[in-house]
Amino acid sequence: MNDGDVSRQIQQMVRFIRQEAEEKANEISVSAEEEFNIEKLQIVEADRRKIRQEYERKGKQVEIRKKIEYSMQLNASRIKVLQAQDDLVNSIKESARKELVRLSNDKRGYEKLLKALVVESLVRLRETAVLLRCREVDRKVVESVLEEAKREYADKIKVATPKVTIDNVYLPPPPTKADSHQPYCSGGAVLASEDGKIVLENTLDARLDVAFRQKLPQVRFEGVWWDKEVHDQFLLLYMDCIFQLAFMILKT
């Protein structure tokens, strides 16, 4: 083999080695690029998941804050409505109490009403001996109607006339504008058994409280714009109930 053949064989081997190296390099490059792309996609997808999770977390936080704010506003609105209703009801009740004072100032009508209250109390107690407590300003009125009330009770129940003692301890005085925080009584009487175990409060204020509790469901409703006309309507409703009670007592 001459030098030319040797040279050609060497060149052929060099070309083969170079081709092998290039193919290997290409394989390595392609493999590296694939791994890079896969890793890049994994990183991008992981970042996307983090972004989505963070977005969802913040979205939930915003939703929770909205619900909390809505709930707080709703509760505040309900409290305002309830407060407005309470103010109205208390205003109506106070107006009704003023009407009770006018009722007790009607001398002839109040005498009949007071006698009827005493008779009704005696009927409900059905005791042979009773202690009666009234306002100091009403003592003379009570004394003037007591005997007739006892006879009326005895005739109605068909029993002996009961012993009724007027207590020297009095109910609170009528309400005054000077001090509305002091205890007061608009009229009526409190009767009790002689041993004090049974007490029947039959004052005008107690009757108003009964009417108040009965009519309260009609007053407490939502969605009404409270104005003077509505206030007057409910005041008339209360006063109608009060006078109905008075007439019922007088008829007994």
Side-chain angles (χ1 to χ4, degrees):
M1 185 179 293
N2 55 30
D3 292 339
D5 292 335
V6 171
S7 178
R8 282 194 295 275
Q9 277 188 344
I10 291 172
Q11 289 177 358
Q12 188 177 5
M13 292 176 63
V14 168
R15 284 196 298 272
F16 176 76
I17 292 171
R18 181 177 293 169
Q19 185 178 357
E20 286 287 327
E22 289 176 354
E23 291 177 354
K24 192 66 176 176
N26 286 335
E27 289 179 2
I28 293 171
S29 177
V30 170
S31 176
E33 187 174 357
E34 288 179 352
E35 291 180 359
F36 171 75
N37 288 334
I38 292 171
E39 186 174 354
K40 182 176 70 174
L41 288 173
Q42 290 176 344
I43 293 173
V44 171
E45 186 61 29
D47 289 340
R48 284 178 180 173
R49 283 198 301 270
K50 288 181 180 179
I51 292 172
R52 282 197 299 269
Q53 290 173 354
E54 184 66 16
Y55 177 79
E56 290 174 357
R57 185 180 67 83
K58 289 185 177 180
K60 289 180 179 178
Q61 287 180 344
V62 171
E63 190 66 25
I64 290 172
R65 281 199 297 270
K66 286 182 178 179
K67 289 181 179 179
I68 292 174
E69 290 175 0
Y70 173 76
S71 178
M72 291 176 64
Q73 292 175 358
L74 183 62
N75 288 336
S77 298
R78 286 175 177 170
I79 290 173
K80 287 181 180 179
V81 171
L82 292 174
Q83 184 61 51
Q85 289 179 346
D86 285 341
D87 292 343
L88 175 70
V89 169
N90 290 332
S91 174
I92 294 172
K93 194 174 181 181
E94 184 59 31
S95 299
R97 289 195 186 280
K98 291 178 181 178
E99 293 297 323
L100 290 182
V101 174
R102 291 175 54 187
L103 181 64
S104 63
N105 289 335
D106 178 6
K107 185 176 180 181
R108 181 172 298 180
Y110 184 59
E111 284 182 1
K112 294 180 179 179
L113 179 60
L114 191 56
K115 186 191 76 171
L117 289 171
V118 173
V119 173
E120 182 191 45
S121 300
L122 291 172
V123 170
R124 294 177 65 181
L125 286 173
R126 301 204 178 192
E127 294 284 330
T128 57
V130 174
L131 183 66
L132 186 152
R133 181 174 296 179
C134 62
R135 301 183 303 180
E136 188 173 7
V137 295
D138 290 340
R139 185 177 183 102
K140 289 184 178 179
V141 180
V142 172
E143 290 174 346
S144 68
V145 301
L146 185 57
E147 291 302 321
E148 186 178 352
K150 288 161 58 176
R151 286 195 301 270
E152 186 174 325
Y153 159 74
D155 292 340
K156 181 177 292 189
I157 306 300
K158 307 301 181 185
V159 295
T161 303
K163 174 187 175 184
V164 180
T165 303
I166 300 177
D167 197 352
N168 289 324
V169 177
Y170 298 106
L171 295 175
T176 60
K177 296 181 180 179
D179 191 355
S180 59
H181 297 289
Q182 289 294 330
Y184 64 86
C185 178
S186 302
V190 175
L191 280 77
S193 58
E194 197 172 36
D195 57 8
K197 292 182 179 180
I198 305 175
V199 179
L200 179 60
E201 186 176 0
N202 216 356
T203 62
L204 297 183
D205 301 290
R207 302 304 289 257
L208 175 61
D209 288 336
V210 171
F212 178 77
R213 287 192 295 270
Q214 290 175 346
K215 297 297 181 181
L216 188 59
Q218 298 182 32
V219 179
R220 290 189 181 278
F221 61 88
E222 299 180 7
V224 175
W225 177 259
W226 299 112
D227 56 14
K228 187 177 184 299
E229 183 179 354
V230 177
H231 177 279
D232 292 343
Q233 288 177 357
F234 279 107
L235 177 58
L236 289 174
L237 181 69
Y238 267 103
M239 294 314 302
D240 178 64
C241 181
I242 292 169
F243 287 117
Q244 283 183 16
L245 287 171
F247 291 143
M248 287 175 61
I249 294 169
L250 290 172
K251 289 179 181 179
T252 56

